[in-house]
Each structure stands twice: as C-alpha cells, then as structure tokens.
Amino acid sequence: MNRRDLIRASAALGLSTVAGRVWAAPRADARLLVVFLRGAYDAANVVIPTGSEFYYHARPNLAVARPDPADPKAASALDVDWSLHPALRDTILPLYAKGQAAFVPFAGTDDLTRSHFETQDTIELGQTIGGSRDYNSGFMARLAAELTRVRPIAFTDQMPLIFRGGDAVPNINIAGVGKPGIDDRQAKLIAAMYRGTNLAGAVAEGFRVREQVYHAISDHADQADRGAVSPKGFELSARRIGRLMRETFNLGFVDVGGWDTHVNQGAGTGYLADRMGKLGRGLAGFVEEIGPSWPDTVVVVLSEFGRTFRENGNRGTDHGHGSAYWVLGGGVRGGRIAGPQVRMDEAHLSQNRDCPVLTDYRSLLGGVIQRLYGLDQTSLNRVFPGGHPADLALI
C-alpha cells in the first residue's frame, strides 16, 4: 500500500496522518489538565524501581518495601520492575488497573541547574534551552492559540508563566474562592473606570468568570464537601476543578506545592506519603466529578525535576534531575510504564547522583498534544519551537 492509499484508508477508519504516521482522530471535546507539583517530588519513591537492588542500597531509611500483600506499607506492583507508592493504592492504582493511567519514568528537561525557579520556568515556557527566553510566551498560551473552541483557565492565585502571552486567560485560586469581595455596584464602578480603554474587555471578563466560578462552587458546596477528607487543599479543589472543566472549561492548569523533601520525607508513611495520599484522593475526586467527560479528558502530572537517587544525611533527598510523569485519562492507553528505560543501578546514574532524563518533557507533551488535538507539525512547532514529539502511544 502506497502513502496515498494509506491516507485514504486512514480517513475511512477515522484516522489522520501526520508526518507519515497514523494517529487516532482528534477528540472534538478534548479536555487537558496539567498538574504541576512545585518543589520537585521524589519520583523514585512514588513510581518505585522495586526490581533494583541498588535502590534499596541507596536508600537504607527511605526505600519503600517491595510488594507484599500482608504489609500495608509496601509498594503495589505495576510490573516486574516497577511499583507504586502505597499512598496511591486506593486512588491511582485502580486507574492503572483499568488502563487509564500510565507512568513515564526518566522524564524531564535538559536543564541541569537544579534550581526550582529556573527549571519551573523552563517547563512553563516550553522554549529551547540555551537561547534567550521570552517570559511573555508560555507553552499553554501558545497551545490555546492553535486550538478552536478553546476555553482555558488557570486554577492559580496569580497568572502562571505557562499561560502568559496570547489572549487573556482567567485565573482563579480555586481553593480560596469565597463570597466575592466586590459587590455588583462596585464591579460596575470599576468597569466604568476602564470603559473605552484596552483593558475594558479583560476587566469585564474577569468579573464574569469570578461570578461564574463562585456560583458553580457555592451552589454545589454540600455535594463537594460530602465525603471529603478535608474541606481545604487539593482534595477539595480537584472536585471543583472537575466540575468546572466538565461544564465550562477545557484547557486547565493547576499547581500543588510542598514537594521539596530535604528532611525526614519518610518511606511507606510520613511526609511524602501524606502529600501523595492527598494528591491521589484529589485526582480520584476529579475523575468522579468530571464523570461522563472522563473518556475525553487527559491529565498530565509533572514536576520540575526529580531528586537525588541516594538519600541524604537528613533522611531526605536533594535536588535531582530525571523525574516520572503521569498521564491519566479515560482514553489513555495506560496500565503500563511508557518510554525508554535503563536499569536503575549505579552505572546508569546521571552525574553519579540522579535518575537520567531519557524522555524530554517537550517531546512527551508534544506527542500527547498531537494525538489529542490532531495538530500538524507546523502548529506543534509553534507550541514547542524546535521540539520533536515522541510517539509513546499514550492516547
């Protein structure tokens, strides 16, 4: 079959071809949520290389026990080499078992500064490292510019770098939304101040979105609180995000802090386990709340970098390099560890301290975006200039 016949056959099957590859047809109602774990979570203690003897040698106090049904603090097997932290056993592991979650170890950037701020900026900008940075051009802003019928939102206290540039995007600190501090009369006075200026549209849209979000939350407050472990934090926020992305928005970003575990991070229990438990319950709540839209939704969980493979003298871990990204969704081809891998031993450490990066974050995200939205290479180059999408068949 020649290339022209392949294209015709693909069209008949509802597929599209990009650069000679056959891709699934883009979802008309696709939703994408990026969850950024600020502070660099210790991926090696979450997506755990339990098949590695070196892991247990390098972490005498922090290593999570190998899978053991009799031990609630033990990891849960994902395959023969990898396991999942026990704090995610009741939330993320069931998604993995249903083929709705995949993990990509050895993922990250080629930024070796190990600086939280520098590497967070690197990821949010999505630009080529080594050149001059345009801090008014985040990659999700560029993605929004390539899409039709896009309704973006940042669930953050301030406008994140990732959405800077392009059209105005509303940002709402979803965990702190309460009764609006400005009533209708004050809102009209403020709007009148900006009437006839370039900011008039943005001001009006800001008030409209805040009012909409406030009612979406307050009108369902009892439902959102029912069964929640805590009324605050990500566990509750994720349900609100799920409701808003089910009903109104389809391109979202949220960040969760508190992952810088230099001291006493714990193993099967402890500080990191507590954080992971809340994250997992929040994501499970998001899945429940988004409901029938879950098959057309993709959630990517990432962090600026991983942490040192060896534990430090304070029973914690320091700034590292390679991490593990999560890709969740009702239409995700999950239930597997995706991407290139190496044996997790001392010989394969990066600079004798970190997990190496084998899957560039722009390549991973580019491949997901290309499959999800059916973007051609020209459009994708505008989202990730100089990037090359990786076909990990995650969608």
Side-chain angles (χ1 to χ4, degrees), residues 20-60:
R21 295 176 179 171
V22 179
W23 304 86
R27 292 164 167 78
D29 297 316
R31 291 168 174 81
L32 174 64
L33 175 67
V34 175
V35 181
F36 200 134
L37 307 184
R38 294 195 189 274
Y41 88 105
D42 182 24
N45 255 30
V46 177
V47 183
I48 310 163
T50 47
S52 166
E53 290 295 335
F54 179 61
Y55 167 75
Y56 290 95
H57 173 75
R59 298 186 170 209

Side-chain angles (χ1 to χ4, degrees), residues 104-152:
V104 185
F106 308 109
T109 78
D110 54 359
D111 186 331
L112 282 168
T113 63
R114 296 188 179 86
S115 160
H116 290 301
F117 304 119
E118 186 81 9
T119 315
Q120 286 175 19
D121 289 354
T122 292
I123 290 178
E124 291 188 69
L125 292 172
Q127 301 167 17
T128 303
I129 293 178
S132 61
R133 292 186 169 187
D134 181 356
Y135 283 89
N136 289 311
S137 182
F139 86 78
M140 289 190 76
R142 299 194 298 272
L143 172 61
E146 297 298 319
L147 303 178
T148 58
R149 297 189 301 173
V150 66
R151 300 179 302 279

Side-chain angles (χ1 to χ4, degrees), residues 243-395:
R243 184 180 311 118
L244 289 166
M245 291 196 70
R246 182 188 71 214
E247 298 174 354
T248 306
F249 302 99
N250 57 14
L251 183 63
F253 174 84
V254 62
D255 48 12
V256 183
W259 305 98
D260 200 13
T261 51
H262 289 281
V263 179
N264 294 329
Q265 76 172 46
T269 59
Y271 178 82
L272 179 63
D274 179 67
R275 299 290 304 175
M276 272 295 146
K278 292 176 180 177
L279 177 69
R281 289 188 292 272
L283 289 170
F286 172 89
V287 174
E288 290 180 6
E289 199 67 39
I290 206 164
S293 298
W294 180 236
D296 297 310
T297 300
V298 173
V299 178
V300 178
V301 181
L302 51 79
S303 196
E304 63 262 37
F305 44 71
R307 305 192 73 81
T308 48
F309 198 73
R310 298 181 182 89
E311 66 180 64
N312 62 26
N314 295 315
R315 300 197 175 193
T317 49
D318 298 320
H319 298 179
H321 189 41
S323 185
Y325 290 5
W326 313 4
V327 182
L328 319 174
V332 166
R333 296 176 181 176
R336 62 195 177 94
I337 306 296
Q341 302 168 41
V342 292
R343 187 155 190 81
M344 204 58 262
D345 55 24
E346 190 168 17
H348 288 102
L349 291 180
S350 172
Q351 299 183 340
N352 195 35
R353 56 175 281 164
D354 308 320
C355 290
V357 170
L358 304 180
T359 298
D360 178 75
Y361 80 106
R362 299 200 312 163
S363 297
L364 188 157
L365 290 168
V368 168
I369 288 167
Q370 193 170 44
R371 281 186 174 268
L372 187 63
Y373 297 113
L375 297 184
D376 60 25
Q377 190 61 46
T378 301
S379 291
L380 203 62
N381 281 339
R382 287 193 287 264
V383 179
F384 291 118
H388 303 283
D391 182 11
L392 303 183
L394 291 167
I395 299 176

Side-chain angles (χ1 to χ4, degrees), residues 162-221:
I162 204 167
F163 263 132
R164 285 192 190 170
D167 294 336
V169 173
N171 68 286
I172 299 291
N173 181 4
I174 197 79
V177 171
K179 186 175 182 179
I182 298 175
D183 60 28
D184 289 341
R185 182 186 64 83
Q186 293 169 321
K188 290 176 182 177
L189 287 173
I190 294 172
M193 290 171 56
Y194 287 93
R195 189 173 297 127
T197 72
N198 293 334
L199 295 175
V203 171
E205 178 67 5
F207 282 129
R208 186 192 68 79
V209 170
R210 183 169 180 83
E211 186 72 12
Q212 180 184 34
V213 171
Y214 168 67
H215 284 296
I217 293 170
S218 61
D219 292 349
H220 297 275

Side-chain angles (χ1 to χ4, degrees), residues 66-118:
R66 289 186 172 92
D68 178 358
D71 183 1
K73 298 179 183 179
S76 300
L78 298 173
D79 64 16
V80 295
D81 294 314
W82 298 91
S83 300
L84 193 64
H85 194 283
L88 301 173
R89 181 176 292 125
D90 297 329
T91 54
I92 304 303
L93 186 63
L95 295 177
Y96 184 88
K98 290 188 288 188
Q100 297 178 2
F103 300 101
V104 185
F106 308 109
T109 78
D110 54 359
D111 186 331
L112 282 168
T113 63
R114 296 188 179 86
S115 160
H116 290 301
F117 304 119
E118 186 81 9

